[in-house]
Amino acid sequence: MDVTDIERLIAIIERARGDALHAQSVATSLPATPHWSGTAQYQARFRVEELCQAISRVVDNCDRVAQEARRDLRQAREASYPHSGFGG
Amino acid sequence: MTSLWVTMPGGHQVSSEDIFAVITQLERARAHLSDCVDTLISPGSHYRPEGFSDLVTSANQATEEATWLTDRLIEYTHEVAWQERWRIDTWGATRDTMITQGAQWLTGNTNSNGRNALADVDDGAYGFWRGLGGDVPVVTVTQVDQHYGVGISHGVAERIARIPDGSNPIRIERYDLGGGQWHTEVFVAGTRDWDVEVGTDPFDMRSNVALIAGVPAAAALATDRAMRAAGVTPRDRVVFVGHSQGGAVAAVLAESGRFDTRGLITVGAPLGTLPASGDYPALRIEHRDDIVSQLGGRMLAGNQTVVEANSEAWPFDLAGAHSRDRYFHTATRVDSSPMAHLSQWTAGFPDSLRGQARLFDARQSG
């Protein structure tokens, strides 16, 4: 396995995870009550809880991919440097 | 404190700043996830571990979830925009008719401009303006102060803070960009004289009426004259900033086509009938409890980004809701908004420049 390929993949998935986490932090601060503007009341079609759960699923999937890739990276490094003890 | 309420340019998307911030972050996540899938399945990649197909499935699932969420949120902002348009058309029409009839009653002029005076605020204002004499004023400006080595503003709030107080209502800053290019920022204050009778102050109620009616206003003529006195040429890149009547003046000059307008920031201005149509960023900040911005009539769709907020003034404190200080506070919230479109609104303006600022006073005669 090519270490560079896996490292690149991990970097991309970490960026995606970071963006999703940022979205999650903003979403958790959303008011649970509907939005108001002037004389109108806008009931969101989603509930804030559901929005946060959906974003959590995105983060979880990112985690799963990153976890797999990290494990493979460790194995790839061990294969490249069998006597270095790298990766424990 | 409630979130800022944002109408995007064109009026097709409306929501709170938080929803727009979530959309932006999810769009970024979606782009990265899509990149991740492409990297995984790329024929050039040698990464084909055990359980590779599960890995691709997880990455695809994350991409699809992010895409689905983003699309639903965008759909929501379109839906809210549609409802907002309906609300403005319904309630705004009633309010505009009341304002127009009030103007007719004050002047005794029941036939304004031959158009339907019972619907449009600008028609009502035109009738009012005619009732006041309908003269095109003659204005003179005087430079009263000058400062050198002035640093250019950062962000929206700092620009609001530089709008002068009433004593010298026009502030013009010029920054040398080199190569014969200049960046100019024009700051215009609000109404000084609340009398509708002819006086010597161009920043009076007659100018308010003229600006809404779409006819030459003394305050706009004075600002234009001050710009010429400060050496502003049509080649200058100009950012206009104004509060209340000064915001309407700023919008009229930005739209005039006589300057290379690079930005427009208005707070508490009666701009309903003055939408931004030029190819420049326009930011309009309004307090929901500020009646001055309502007097401009129903908001027409344009290229402006509109930010609405509660002023946090006491109920019925109309002056407080309209005050520049309250708008400065709201502008600080714009600068620190989680929505990048707002917090980076001035990112395209020049940074770290030093120039000169001139302050002008103005007078008018019949």
Side-chain angles (χ1 to χ4, degrees):
Chain A
M1 281 186 284
D2 190 331
V3 172
T4 319
D5 280 347
I6 310 175
E7 282 174 340
R8 182 157 172 259
L9 180 75
I10 292 172
I12 296 169
I13 201 74
E14 285 296 348
R15 280 200 289 273
R17 185 178 181 275
D19 290 328
L21 278 174
H22 193 167
Q24 193 177 32
S25 73
V26 178
T28 49
S29 68
L30 283 170
T33 52
H35 296 293
W36 282 85
S37 169
T39 52
Q41 179 187 28
Y42 298 112
Q43 176 70 60
R45 290 198 300 167
F46 46 85
R47 288 191 307 152
V48 171
E49 281 168 42
E50 288 165 1
L51 177 66
C52 293
Q53 281 166 8
I55 299 174
S56 280
R57 286 198 295 275
V58 176
V59 175
D60 289 347
N61 273 317
C62 289
D63 281 342
R64 196 170 304 137
V65 175
Q67 209 175 335
E68 293 281 320
R70 270 197 214 95
R71 194 196 60 209
D72 292 333
L73 179 65
R74 231 180 359 252
Q75 286 174 0
R77 279 177 174 160
E78 280 170 3
S80 304
Y81 308 103
H83 307 297
S84 67
F86 185 87
Chain B
M1 190 179 289
T2 55
S3 298
L4 299 176
W5 190 255
V6 184
T7 302
M8 294 294 277
H12 305 300
Q13 283 187 281
V14 178
S15 193
S16 73
E17 57 183 334
D18 313 294
I19 297 290
F20 282 118
V22 173
I23 291 171
T24 303
Q25 289 304 324
L26 284 173
E27 277 174 340
R28 285 184 190 158
R30 176 173 62 175
H32 285 133
L33 284 164
S34 175
D35 195 11
C36 172
V37 173
D38 290 347
T39 307
L40 268 174
I41 61 174
S42 159
S45 168
H46 299 105
Y47 181 47
R48 293 288 182 271
E50 195 184 331
F52 176 71
S53 62
D54 289 345
L55 201 62
V56 174
T57 305
S58 293
N60 266 325
Q61 259 175 8
T63 312
E64 281 164 19
E65 288 264 15
T67 305
W68 180 84
L69 255 180
T70 310
D71 291 349
R72 291 293 79 71
L73 288 170
I74 290 173
E75 209 172 278
Y76 167 71
T77 65
H78 286 303
E79 205 171 279
V80 173
W82 185 83
Q83 291 177 45
E84 265 291 272
R85 179 50 50 199
W86 182 84
R87 181 182 73 84
I88 289 168
D89 286 346
T90 307
W91 294 103
T94 311
R95 185 195 59 209
D96 289 2
T97 300
M98 287 169 66
I99 294 170
T100 305
Q101 286 180 337
Q104 288 173 347
W105 179 77
L106 280 170
T107 58
N109 185 347
T110 54
N111 182 17
S112 57
N113 204 23
R115 291 181 283 177
N116 179 9
L118 292 180
D120 300 322
V121 159
D122 51 349
D123 278 341
Y126 183 76
F128 195 13
W129 180 74
R130 288 277 301 273
L132 293 173
D135 302 319
V136 176
V138 176
V139 296
T140 53
V141 293
T142 315
Q143 184 179 313
V144 290
D145 208 353
Q146 185 164 4
H147 304 283
Y148 294 94
V150 175
I152 196 165
S153 308
H154 299 104
V156 176
E158 198 177 331
R159 286 182 166 82
I160 302 307
R162 290 195 187 189
I163 297 172
D165 58 23
S167 55
N168 300 307
I170 307 160
R171 176 187 174 100
I172 297 173
E173 296 179 1
R174 293 192 83 214
Y175 301 92
D176 191 351
L177 299 172
Q181 282 283 329
W182 290 81
H183 175 85
T184 296
E185 303 218 349
V186 179
F187 303 87
V188 193
T191 309
R192 283 194 301 192
D193 180 359
W194 294 91
D195 202 341
V196 292
E197 296 302 319
V198 180
T200 57
D201 193 342
F203 286 81
D204 62 356
M205 274 307 285
R206 294 165 70 90
S207 275
N208 279 325
V209 175
L211 285 161
I212 296 169
V215 295
L221 293 171
T223 306
D224 181 68
R225 188 145 296 185
M227 288 175 73
R228 275 189 277 170
V232 178
T233 71
R235 291 181 60 213
D236 280 33
R237 300 168 181 184
V238 187
V239 171
F240 292 94
V241 185
H243 169 233
S244 192
Q245 178 182 126
V249 168
V252 164
L253 294 175
E255 283 286 306
S256 69
R258 289 185 292 114
F259 305 100
D260 181 4
T261 303
R262 295 302 178 102
L264 170 66
I265 303 173
T266 61
V267 290
L271 287 175
T273 56
L274 288 168
S277 62
D279 184 22
Y280 56 84
L283 179 65
R284 185 184 295 185
I285 304 176
E286 295 179 357
H287 288 153
R288 293 196 186 100
D289 44 350
D290 178 6
I291 59 163
V292 173
S293 49
Q294 313 291 324
L295 291 174
R298 268 174 291 173
M299 191 199 303
L300 299 177
N303 294 338
Q304 68 274 6
T305 298
V306 183
V307 173
E308 293 170 80
N310 292 326
S311 71
E312 311 294 335
W314 287 99
F316 307 110
D317 178 8
L318 303 181
H322 183 60
S323 74
R324 195 194 59 174
D325 289 349
R326 294 269 179 197
Y327 275 109
F328 168 77
H329 177 66
T330 305
T332 60
R333 294 178 58 198
V334 168
D335 285 334
S336 60
S337 172
M339 184 181 173
H341 179 71
L342 296 184
S343 60
Q344 293 170 20
W345 203 81
T346 60
F349 295 174
D351 207 359
S352 306
L353 289 174
R354 294 214 161 263
Q356 53 184 277
R358 291 182 168 94
L359 282 160
F360 292 88
D361 195 5
R363 286 283 170 259
Q364 70 172 340
S365 55

